[in-house]
Amino acid sequence: MKIRRLETEEIVSVYHEYMERDFHTDELRPLNRILEPLQDGIYECTGMFDDGILTGYAFFVKLNKDYLLDYFAIVPDKRNQGYGSKYLALIEEYLKDSDSLLIEVENPLYATDEQSLVTMQRRKEFYLKNGCYETGVFVNLFGVEYEVLKSKNTKSYIQQEIKDLYRKHYRTTLPDKLYSKYVHVK
């Protein structure tokens, strides 16, 4: 298995073939809000391949040596086979020279039903069992409540530094009007 950057045409294909199904409409950036920051060098899109076949994708907001995992998924026919953990380990290696990798997970405290609660808890547990840590930083992003985790390779930032770094990630990819209205770090 290997990880590599995706070309623009691959990103467009992944967006339409997978992301539009894998993520709720309220979680999914418009495609132009991926491609424009990509061209500006502040966004990076990777794929994990097994024998040349795409098994998963991870998209990041990138600020110097600090990363925010924006989207992470395994393609449907490869799920529940250990690919997620393998990909996360490859991401850790891929970003070994970075200063941080922040990760958003939906906050289970705000689940509206039992099925949502189970899904949110499962996602958070996936990151925790793979060596990520809670930061104590919570955000409301476009009306959705998230908790911010950090990867095991992240430098030892204090909570306020994580909040500031998180804000910077969104300030660079969102117009001021959208940022002010929809990004609330707690």
Side-chain angles (χ1 to χ4, degrees):
M1 263 180 276
K2 71 177 197 172
I3 184 175
R4 71 166 171 80
R5 284 187 187 184
L6 298 175
E7 301 295 329
T8 302
E9 58 274 1
E10 292 174 307
I11 295 165
V12 172
S13 177
V14 165
Y15 186 90
H16 292 302
E17 189 172 343
Y18 298 111
M19 293 176 72
E20 289 178 332
R21 286 185 279 161
D22 291 341
F23 295 93
H24 297 286
T25 304
D26 60 351
E27 293 179 314
L28 191 58
R29 289 175 186 261
L31 183 56
N32 70 317
R33 288 230 171 85
I34 292 172
L35 297 178
E36 289 171 11
L38 180 74
Q39 291 173 348
D40 294 339
I42 56 172
Y43 206 85
E44 191 167 327
C45 303
T46 66
M48 182 176 71
F49 295 85
D50 190 3
D51 291 328
I53 306 294
L54 181 73
T55 57
Y57 58 90
F59 290 16
F60 307 90
V61 177
K62 176 185 168 189
L63 295 173
N64 302 313
K65 294 174 77 176
D66 294 296
Y67 292 78
L68 169 67
L69 182 60
D70 206 22
Y71 297 102
F72 179 70
I74 301 303
V75 298
D77 65 333
K78 300 294 183 184
R79 291 182 184 155
N80 301 312
Q81 298 175 43
Y83 283 100
S85 294
K86 291 173 189 170
Y87 198 0
L88 202 54
L90 286 173
I91 288 170
E92 292 281 347
E93 178 61 24
Y94 181 78
L95 299 177
K96 68 181 177 213
D97 295 327
S98 69
D99 287 340
S100 69
L101 172 59
L102 300 181
I103 300 162
E104 304 159 326
V105 292
E106 285 181 283
N107 189 336
L109 295 176
Y110 293 89
T112 56
D113 57 59
E114 188 66 29
Q115 183 177 351
S116 296
L117 176 62
V118 169
T119 300
M120 290 175 186
Q121 287 174 329
R122 191 184 81 237
R123 287 178 184 159
K124 181 177 177 182
E125 286 303 315
F126 163 78
Y127 289 108
L128 295 177
K129 82 172 181 165
N130 281 287
C132 296
Y133 300 94
E134 295 175 327
T135 64
V137 175
F138 299 89
V139 297
N140 181 296
L141 185 63
F142 288 90
V144 180
E145 297 290 336
Y146 291 96
E147 180 176 354
V148 179
L149 307 178
K150 66 179 183 168
S151 76
K152 58 187 169 195
N153 289 346
T154 298
K155 288 170 65 176
S156 294
Y157 288 114
I158 62 170
Q159 193 177 65
Q160 186 58 49
E161 290 172 321
I162 291 172
K163 288 179 181 182
D164 293 342
L165 186 57
Y166 184 87
R167 286 182 183 106
K168 286 178 189 176
H169 282 296
Y170 276 97
R171 280 212 176 274
T172 61
T173 60
L174 289 176
D176 287 340
K177 189 174 185 178
L178 287 178
Y179 176 87
S180 297
K181 186 173 182 180
Y182 294 111
V183 180
H184 307 285
V185 181
K186 304 171 191 178

